[in-house]
Structure formats: structure tokens, C-alpha cells
Amino acid sequence: NAPLAARHIHIWVADVARTKAFYSAKLGLKVTNERAGEVVEFPGLWFGRWKGTGAIPTGGITIGMGAKSVQATSDALKKNGVNLPKPPGEAHGEWAFSFSDPDGYAIEVEGPK
């Protein structure tokens, strides 16, 4: 038996164009594929238009991202207009900070100071 490996995470969002702008322009991720208004894909993360009713269930999901320098990444995100509620600090034996994307998904950035 060959072991399985995660290829991507697919997350539902209210507005695919808004999500594309946030993750590409503000976070600097490269779009790898998209169907306008339906799906936008980044390495390891796919965002699809929510077709359900009511609020998107974002609770319990944290998108973890690594950084070569947590402080430099924090500074760059602030310059890009990302709201960072708390400055980076020590966490789990390294440095980290958290913020939310436009749909309310938690994003945690971890790595060396």
C-alpha cells in the first residue's frame, strides 16, 4: 500500500474574486489555476464559491503558513493593509502571529523570529 499524501485543502468562500485578491495581492501567493467566480487555486489551497445557505461554517479551521522570518512577514503584511490584531510573539518553540481572511478563516504564520 502506498501512503496517502495531502494534495490540497478546498475551502468554501462567499466571494472568489475577493479571496483571490486577498491571498494574491496581500499575502503574495501565486494563483496556479482558476475558474472565474467559481474556484481559485494556490499551491495547496483551493477556494470555491460557497453554494450553501446561511453563513459559511469557518469555525475549527486554521490555515497554517510558514515564514522564513515571522517579523519580516508581519511587517510586509501590515504594509499590504492586512489587519494584524496582535504582534508576533513566542509560540510552540518558535514565533507566530494570527489574523483572519475576508471570510473569517483563521490564518497562523509560524517560523523563526
Side-chain angles (χ1 to χ4, degrees):
N1 281 335
L4 294 175
R7 291 178 41 182
H8 69 273
I9 305 280
H10 192 122
I11 299 171
W12 301 112
V13 297
D15 184 329
V16 172
R18 176 182 71 183
T19 298
K20 176 185 174 184
F22 181 81
Y23 282 87
S24 61
K26 293 189 180 281
L27 303 191
L29 299 183
K30 181 173 173 46
V31 173
T32 57
N33 191 30
E34 71 178 298
R35 285 191 324 268
E38 292 296 318
V39 174
V40 62
E41 299 173 7
F42 300 94
L45 290 173
W46 295 5
F47 296 94
R49 184 174 57 84
W50 172 247
K51 295 176 184 165
T53 58
I56 299 171
T58 61
I61 294 175
T62 298
I63 299 169
M65 297 187 167
K68 290 180 182 176
S69 166
V70 169
Q71 187 63 57
T73 300
S74 172
D75 295 343
L77 292 177
K78 283 183 193 175
K79 286 182 184 176
N80 286 345
V82 176
N83 179 29
L84 304 180
K86 290 188 199 174
E90 290 185 79
H92 319 294
E94 54 189 358
W95 282 76
F97 66 93
S98 298
F99 59 101
S100 296
D101 81 357
D103 283 284
Y105 290 105
I107 299 173
E108 185 174 32
V109 177
E110 302 170 317
K113 186 175 181 181

